[in-house]
Coordinates of all heavy atoms in Angstrom, one line a residue:
C26 N 142.4 58.1 12.2 CA 141.8 56.9 11.7 C 142.7 56.2 10.7 O 142.6 55.0 10.6 CB 140.4 57.2 11.1 SG 139.2 57.9 12.3
A27 N 143.5 56.9 10.0 CA 144.4 56.3 9.1 C 145.6 55.6 9.8 O 146.3 54.7 9.2 CB 144.9 57.3 8.1
A28 N 145.9 56.0 11.0 CA 147.1 55.4 11.7 C 146.7 54.2 12.5 O 147.6 53.6 13.1 CB 147.7 56.5 12.6
I29 N 145.5 53.8 12.5 CA 145.1 52.7 13.3 C 144.6 51.6 12.4 O 143.8 51.8 11.5 CB 143.9 53.0 14.3 CG1 144.3 54.2 15.2 CG2 143.5 51.8 15.1 CD1 143.1 54.7 16.0
S30 N 145.1 50.4 12.6 CA 144.7 49.3 11.7 C 143.2 49.0 11.9 O 142.6 49.2 12.9 CB 145.5 48.0 12.0 OG 145.1 47.5 13.3
S31 N 142.6 48.5 10.8 CA 141.2 48.2 10.8 C 140.8 47.2 11.9 O 139.7 47.2 12.4 CB 140.7 47.8 9.5 OG 141.4 46.6 9.1
E32 N 141.7 46.3 12.3 CA 141.5 45.4 13.3 C 141.4 46.0 14.7 O 140.8 45.5 15.6 CB 142.6 44.2 13.3 CG 142.6 43.4 12.1 CD 143.4 44.1 11.0 OE1 144.3 44.9 11.3 OE2 143.2 43.8 9.8
L33 N 142.1 47.1 14.9 CA 142.2 47.7 16.2 C 141.3 49.0 16.4 O 141.1 49.4 17.5 CB 143.6 48.2 16.5 CG 144.6 47.0 16.6 CD1 146.0 47.6 16.8 CD2 144.3 46.1 17.7
V34 N 140.7 49.5 15.4 CA 140.0 50.7 15.4 C 138.7 50.6 16.3 O 138.5 51.5 17.1 CB 139.6 51.3 14.0 CG1 138.5 50.5 13.4 CG2 139.2 52.8 14.1
E35 N 138.0 49.5 16.3 CA 136.9 49.3 17.2 C 137.2 49.4 18.6 O 136.6 50.1 19.4 CB 136.2 48.0 16.9 CG 134.9 47.9 17.6 CD 134.1 46.6 17.2 OE1 134.7 45.7 16.6 OE2 132.9 46.6 17.6
S36 N 138.3 48.7 19.0 CA 138.8 48.7 20.4 C 139.3 50.1 20.8 O 139.0 50.6 21.9 CB 139.9 47.7 20.6 OG 140.4 47.8 21.9
E37 N 139.9 50.8 19.9 CA 140.5 52.1 20.1 C 139.3 53.1 20.4 O 139.4 53.9 21.3 CB 141.3 52.6 19.0 CG 142.2 53.8 19.2 CD 143.2 53.6 20.3 OE1 143.8 52.4 20.4 OE2 143.5 54.5 21.0
L38 N 138.3 53.0 19.6 CA 137.1 54.0 19.7 C 136.2 53.6 20.9 O 135.8 54.5 21.6 CB 136.3 54.0 18.4 CG 136.9 54.7 17.2 CD1 136.0 54.6 16.0 CD2 137.2 56.2 17.5
F39 N 135.9 52.4 21.0 CA 134.9 51.9 22.0 C 135.5 51.3 23.3 O 134.7 51.1 24.2 CB 133.9 51.0 21.4 CG 133.3 51.5 20.1 CD1 133.5 50.8 18.9 CD2 132.6 52.7 20.1 CE1 133.0 51.4 17.7 CE2 132.1 53.2 18.9 CZ 132.2 52.5 17.8
G40 N 136.7 51.0 23.3 CA 137.3 50.3 24.4 C 137.0 48.9 24.4 O 136.4 48.3 23.5
H41 N 137.5 48.1 25.4 CA 137.2 46.7 25.5 C 137.2 46.2 27.0 O 137.7 46.9 27.9 CB 138.2 45.9 24.7 CG 139.7 46.1 25.2 ND1 140.5 46.9 24.6 CD2 140.3 45.6 26.3 CE1 141.7 46.9 25.2 NE2 141.6 46.1 26.3
E42 N 136.5 45.1 27.2 CA 136.4 44.5 28.5 C 137.6 43.5 28.6 O 138.1 43.0 27.6 CB 135.1 43.7 28.6 CG 133.9 44.6 28.4 CD 133.6 45.5 29.7 OE1 134.1 45.1 30.8 OE2 132.9 46.5 29.5
K43 N 137.9 43.1 29.8 CA 138.9 42.1 30.1 C 138.5 40.8 29.4 O 137.4 40.4 29.5 CB 139.0 41.9 31.6 CG 140.1 40.9 32.0 CD 140.2 40.7 33.5 CE 141.2 39.7 33.8 NZ 141.4 39.5 35.3
G44 N 139.4 40.2 28.7 CA 139.2 38.9 28.0 C 138.5 39.1 26.7 O 138.1 38.0 26.1
A45 N 138.3 40.3 26.2 CA 137.5 40.4 24.9 C 138.2 39.8 23.8 O 137.6 39.3 22.8 CB 137.2 41.9 24.7
F46 N 139.5 39.8 23.8 CA 140.4 39.2 22.8 C 141.7 38.9 23.4 O 142.0 39.3 24.5 CB 140.5 40.1 21.6 CG 140.9 41.5 21.9 CD1 142.2 41.8 22.1 CD2 139.9 42.5 22.0 CE1 142.6 43.1 22.4 CE2 140.3 43.8 22.4 CZ 141.7 44.1 22.6
T47 N 142.6 38.2 22.7 CA 143.9 37.8 23.2 C 144.6 39.1 23.5 O 144.7 40.0 22.7 CB 144.6 37.0 22.2 OG1 143.9 35.8 21.9 CG2 146.0 36.6 22.7

Side-chain angles (χ1 to χ4, degrees):
C26 299
I29 303 171
S30 71
S31 58
E32 296 83 26
L33 296 177
V34 72
E35 186 175 16
S36 174
E37 194 65 34
L38 289 176
F39 307 119
H41 61 259
E42 300 285 338
K43 180 179 180 177
F46 51 83
T47 303

